[in-house]
Amino acid sequence: MSDTSLPPALLTALSDLLGPSGLLTDAGDTEAFCTDWRMLYHGRCAAVLRPASTEDCAKAVALCAEHGVPMVPQGGNTSMVGGATPDNSGKAVVISTNRMTRIHTIDHADLTMTVEAGVTLKAAQDAAAAEGLMLPLSISSEGSAEIGGILATNAGGNNTVRYGNARELALGLEAVLPDGQVLNLMRRLRKDNTGYALRQLLIGSEGTLGLITTAIIQLQPAPRSRETALCALADPQAVLNLFAAFRKQDPAAIQAFEYMSGTSMALVNNLIEGASLPLETPAPAYALVELGSPRADDSLRTLMEDVLGQALEDGLVTDAVLAESEGQRQALWMIREEHAEAQKRAGASVKNDVSVPLSAIPEFITKATAACEALIPGIRVAPFGHIGDGNIHFNLVQPEGMDPKAFLAQDHAMMDTVAGIVRTLDGSFSAEHGVGQLKTYMMPSWRGGAELDAMRKIKAALDPKNLMNPGKIFPES
Ligand code: MLT
Ligand code: ZN
């Protein structure tokens, strides 16, 4: 039984093009594509299209454009801001990339991987590792997040501090534009100043300008030595001081530098089976430090021990544990990577993915904590994140026992309170998660005037009928 509202002529054309596994119309089959990972958004769609190649994707997009059907590109559906969920009208189709899963080439001379949009980040990382190389992007959702979505949102994550965001890693790109044309930017060049950087325009456009189908990703030699430590500290200022101490010795060795508050750590400890804090006593703040090098000598161990030894002696670090095996390293990373899941299990939460200059982080956390606690008594302020990039996930978990709906009804009040403090510190209300649909309402006050106007003009030029991921980034006008 088909549950679609698509015009019959379009349905027939799509069915001929994509075949039974490429076109889902039954509500039972499409439902999972209409709800986000956080279970905040529950939309509806007319169908899910699952093209298996760029060519089929381009033809499907052209058909939908001809019939004026809105399209919502979707990768692994791990957006934190509802960026890949259709609205409630049931008029849009979701275009899923999850059948475009080929890794075309890994080139050792160019240090690149050519990969289709639907390959998960984990599968791409594993393929690079199997060849003695590294894909230097790592995020908590890497088991399901897909390359296309990662580029569309310019994901950041744990290694940005050393290798940059997704946009720094993409040397080439292929995308289907809203009218079905294929934009081929698969050039693999480190230098190319021929006109506008369209590749960078597509990256971070959150699927509003086109659907990314293939990319060329810059790889790195795999690290042959790695040192990982979990440290307990008194507060975020101490975490920053520790970061500065490593940076002073060898900035290029810092592969990841993550912060976790005592509150967010306690949630992981209590709610995630198999996670246990390998330190004696709970602390107000933690740092997860990873150093990496393609050299196989023991210089990183010396660096780690020197910096931590001094920090312990100075009382900057109150306790620390070093991973002595790959298993222990993974156990430390598991504690960090389960933060989002633990907060989901703790009830309703409001995410504030913000960035401020490094020097402003302690002031931000102090002020925002006090403001949120005054706003909602009993609220659990559980910040953590990529402190080496100035990116804090200032997440707010509902008071125990509170009705989740009543908590979420105040989401704008909480987001505005946090954003107000971020603004006074010259920060951004979206560091790495994007605007999606959750934060569109903030755009006019943050990116108004000429900036939002230029963005709207670019959108109108490439997508005059507003068919590609409508309702995302831009506030309703
Ligand atoms: C992470 O770094 O784990 C995610 O970006 C965070 C989140 O849940 O806000
Ligand atoms: Zn993050």
Side-chain angles (χ1 to χ4, degrees):
M1 232 294 274
S2 167
D3 298 304
T4 186
S5 61
L6 291 179
L10 175 60
L11 193 60
T12 307
L14 288 172
S15 164
D16 291 348
L17 175 69
L18 301 171
S21 49
L23 178 67
L24 312 178
T25 52
D26 292 359
D29 296 331
T30 60
E31 207 182 332
F33 296 81
C34 297
T35 303
D36 68 327
W37 178 81
R38 296 179 62 197
M39 312 291 275
L40 272 187
Y41 294 98
H42 306 279
R44 293 190 306 123
C45 67
V48 174
L49 316 187
R50 302 172 66 232
S53 66
T54 300
E55 205 189 352
D56 284 357
C57 183
K59 286 182 185 159
V61 168
L63 283 166
C64 292
E66 225 172 85
H67 287 82
V69 171
M71 295 161 267
V72 178
Q74 191 178 99
N77 200 14
T78 59
S79 174
M80 298 280 182
V81 287
T85 310
D87 66 15
N88 244 316
S89 67
K91 289 190 177 137
V93 294
V94 170
I95 306 184
S96 166
T97 52
N98 65 15
R99 282 175 79 217
M100 301 178 64
T101 55
R102 281 171 299 181
I103 295 177
H104 291 299
T105 50
I106 294 180
D107 188 313
H108 285 256
D110 293 336
L111 272 188
T112 55
M113 172 187 282
T114 303
V115 61
E116 286 186 346
V119 174
T120 64
L121 177 54
K122 179 77 174 65
Q125 288 168 344
D126 289 349
E131 303 241 354
L133 299 171
M134 173 176 65
L135 195 167
L137 188 86
S138 166
I139 57 176
S140 302
S141 56
E142 61 201 22
S144 15
E146 296 174 4
I147 294 292
I150 278 167
L151 290 167
T153 54
N154 185 28
N158 305 328
N159 298 144
T160 302
V161 69
R162 175 138 169 210
Y163 300 103
N165 294 299
R167 80 164 68 253
E168 275 87 37
L169 302 177
L171 284 187
L173 205 72
E174 177 192 72
V176 175
L177 295 176
D179 61 0
Q181 283 188 84
V182 176
L183 183 66
N184 185 338
L185 310 170
M186 297 285 282
R187 285 198 275 269
R188 226 188 326 171
L189 303 174
R190 293 194 61 85
K191 290 194 168 185
D192 178 19
N193 280 348
T194 42
Y196 300 144
L198 296 179
R199 176 175 93 249
Q200 295 299 0
L201 192 57
L202 266 289
I203 298 172
S205 67
E206 302 187 39
T208 61
L209 298 180
L211 189 152
I212 294 170
T213 47
T214 315
I216 299 174
I217 308 288
Q218 179 79 74
L219 304 177
Q220 294 289 335
R224 286 193 291 159
S225 57
R226 211 150 37 184
E227 294 295 334
T228 309
L230 180 68
C231 310
L233 305 98
D235 52 33
Q237 183 62 62
V239 177
L240 279 175
N241 292 351
L242 183 65
F243 178 62
F246 277 106
R247 202 175 48 182
K248 194 168 167 198
Q249 294 298 323
D250 189 353
I254 306 172
Q255 198 122 313
F257 197 96
E258 297 285 304
Y259 155 70
M260 291 155 281
S261 62
T263 308
S264 64
M265 186 65 103
L267 291 174
V268 174
N269 233 352
N270 297 337
L271 299 173
I272 303 290
E273 10 1 286
S276 76
L277 185 59
L279 296 169
E280 292 278 299
T281 38
Y286 298 89
L288 180 59
V289 189
E290 184 153 282
L291 309 177
S293 165
R295 288 191 310 272
D297 59 25
D298 57 6
S299 56
L300 287 184
R301 173 53 68 132
T302 308
L303 174 62
M304 185 68 102
E305 285 177 350
D306 283 357
V307 175
L308 287 187
Q310 189 63 51
L312 281 159
E313 203 179 305
D314 296 346
L316 178 64
V317 167
T318 53
D319 198 1
V321 59
L322 261 70
E324 297 294 350
S325 64
E326 179 55 23
Q328 286 182 9
R329 172 180 172 263
Q330 281 176 17
L332 293 184
W333 271 109
M334 184 246 209
I335 292 172
R336 165 62 184 88
E337 281 167 356
E338 290 294 341
H339 269 57
E341 179 63 30
Q343 296 187 356
K344 189 174 170 185
R345 291 183 192 181
S349 64
V350 166
K351 288 187 190 292
N352 297 282
D353 164 43
V354 304
S355 63
V356 294
L358 287 193
S359 56
I361 289 173
E363 183 183 348
F364 163 67
I365 293 180
T366 304
K367 286 187 172 163
T369 300
C372 292
E373 286 174 350
L375 188 70
I376 302 185
I379 196 168
R380 287 171 285 173
V381 177
F384 66 99
H386 320 289
I387 197 167
D389 308 315
N391 176 192
I392 302 294
H393 298 307
F394 195 81
N395 292 355
L396 304 168
V397 182
Q398 65 163 90
E400 268 170 291
M402 185 176 182
D403 172 18
K405 284 204 180 98
F407 180 73
L408 289 177
Q410 296 191 64
D411 63 345
H412 282 201
M414 287 181 259
M415 294 197 295
D416 291 342
T417 298
V418 174
I421 296 162
V422 168
R423 192 193 289 272
T424 64
L425 298 170
D426 287 335
S428 168
F429 74 86
S430 174
E432 62 170 9
H433 293 170
V435 177
Q437 51 184 303
L438 182 65
K439 298 191 173 168
T440 49
Y441 83 95
M442 289 185 168
M443 284 297 274
S445 64
W446 280 80
R447 298 285 181 263
E451 192 173 353
L452 187 58
D453 190 44
M455 287 192 207
R456 282 194 192 278
K457 283 176 178 152
I458 291 167
K459 169 74 173 166
L462 288 177
D463 185 14
K465 295 190 211 151
N466 190 24
L467 293 178
M468 207 45 103
N469 216 6
K472 314 295 160 42
I473 298 185
F474 298 100
E476 301 299 333
S477 32

